[in-house]
Amino acid sequence: MTEPPHPDAPEPDPEPAEADDPEGPRRRARRERAERRAAEARAKAIEEARREAKRKVLGAPAVELRPPRRGAVPGLKVMLWTIGLAALATGLGLILYFTPLMSARDIVVVGTGEVTREEVVATSQVTEGTPLLQINTDVVAQRLAAIRRVASVRVQREYPSTLRISIVERIPIAVKDFPDGPHLYDRDGVDFATGPAPLTLPYLDVDNPGPNDLPTRAALAVLTALRPEVAGQVARVAAPSVASITLTLTDGRVVVWGTEDRTQEKADKLAALLTQPGQTYDVSSPDLPTVK
């Protein structure tokens, strides 16, 4: 049983009043919230330390915790801008491709001589007013290269409304007679024209003239190596083989050339040698040229 209090015992102190609390309820609440947050952070840190220790024991790679990446929205904006610009460029390209806004209203042809502008335009198959982007310049160049007198061609679009065609014609350096008339040959051995030849062209005396015929190529290489004042005196170049090339001059003198080796050196020696009187000039050995 509980004994009754002694009549002389002191009475216990009463509970302290709320007003006597020096901290106050609001400060105490804030302190308690801060303590709870600190406790939660500590608990998370302890848990993460335990996981890291476990990963080290198991040999697993550490997982780096990264904050949420910033800039996702700006990246999306860049992507949208890129898509918009691409769509705009595509639309503009379609407009230029299908409309006469930038069309070939002027076809300029340069470099022609024997070939006429009308032949070039007709062969190109380009119609004035065709949008420039629809013109395949490579295809047009291939068509024009089929003209026999054309050595090379370049086709260019010049915006906003011009197609420029630049032609380089073949230059004849030799002629050979055939039943249908004289055939003209350029420095590459290409038979590019049939008809009257300039009187100054030397006659090409080979069995099978053509760009793939070795004697033809050797004979034409000799003609192109000669100095202009010497080349103008040549009436005939004969090459029954690549080892026996001879030149006949307009006055009847003969030049024994021999092989096509050291062609440029032989051409230089011949220019000086022709100043001496004689009938046969032998430069087949350019180290010891002779005159007879």
Side-chain angles (χ1 to χ4, degrees):
M1 293 181 62
T2 303
E3 294 183 3
H6 195 276
D8 297 330
E11 293 183 2
D13 294 334
E15 290 289 335
E18 190 70 25
D20 297 333
D21 186 359
E23 189 175 30
R26 293 184 179 180
R27 292 183 179 179
R28 184 170 59 252
R30 288 196 296 268
R31 175 177 56 76
E32 290 174 353
R33 286 195 299 269
E35 291 175 352
R36 283 196 300 269
R37 287 195 296 267
E40 290 175 358
R42 177 178 172 79
K44 289 182 180 179
I46 293 172
E47 181 64 23
E48 182 60 30
R50 288 176 180 173
R51 290 179 182 175
E52 183 65 24
K54 185 176 180 181
R55 281 194 293 267
K56 290 181 178 180
V57 172
L58 297 177
V63 178
E64 182 180 357
L65 296 178
R66 296 182 180 178
R69 187 181 63 175
R70 298 180 179 179
V73 174
L76 179 61
K77 290 182 180 179
V78 171
M79 182 179 68
L80 293 176
W81 271 103
T82 303
I83 294 174
L85 291 175
L88 180 62
T90 301
L92 181 60
L94 292 174
I95 292 174
L96 296 178
Y97 188 86
F98 289 106
T99 67
L101 186 61
M102 288 189 178
S103 59
R105 290 188 289 271
D106 188 17
I107 300 177
V108 176
V109 180
V110 297
T112 55
E114 295 294 330
V115 182
T116 64
R117 180 185 185 279
E118 290 72 21
E119 182 180 4
V120 171
V121 174
T123 305
S124 71
Q125 301 180 22
V126 175
T127 304
E128 290 188 8
T130 303
L132 288 176
L133 290 178
Q134 293 186 20
I135 299 174
N136 189 323
T137 55
D138 291 336
V139 172
V140 175
Q142 290 175 2
R143 293 171 185 161
L144 295 173
I147 300 176
R148 290 176 64 188
R149 284 187 175 271
V150 172
S152 65
V153 59
R154 185 180 183 187
V155 182
Q156 300 169 281
R157 304 186 193 94
E158 293 184 351
Y159 296 99
S161 59
T162 300
L163 184 71
R164 176 176 292 271
I165 300 174
S166 303
I167 296 292
V168 176
E169 292 188 3
R170 298 187 186 277
I171 299 175
I173 66 169
V175 60
K176 183 175 176 62
D177 290 330
F178 284 89
D180 61 343
H183 286 216
L184 303 182
Y185 291 84
D186 69 354
R187 62 184 301 158
D188 297 321
V190 176
D191 176 2
F192 67 90
T194 303
L199 297 178
T200 56
L201 284 185
Y203 186 82
L204 179 62
D205 188 3
V206 295
D207 294 332
N208 300 296
N212 297 321
D213 180 61
L214 294 181
T216 299
R217 292 169 58 180
L220 297 178
V222 170
L223 290 179
T224 56
L226 296 175
R227 294 183 181 181
E229 64 273 16
V230 177
Q233 301 180 52
V234 178
R236 174 185 294 264
V237 55
S241 70
V242 295
S244 55
I245 303 171
T246 58
L247 305 176
T248 302
L249 305 185
T250 54
D251 58 6
R253 291 181 294 175
V254 176
V255 177
V256 179
W257 195 273
T259 69
E260 61 176 332
D261 296 336
R262 302 170 67 180
T263 292
Q264 190 58 58
E265 188 176 353
K266 293 178 181 180
D268 295 338
K269 292 290 180 66
L270 179 61
L273 207 62
L274 287 177
T275 59
Q276 303 178 23
Q279 183 62 32
T280 301
Y281 300 80
D282 191 338
V283 291
S284 58
S285 176
D287 294 328
L288 189 62
T290 60
V291 179
K292 296 180 182 178

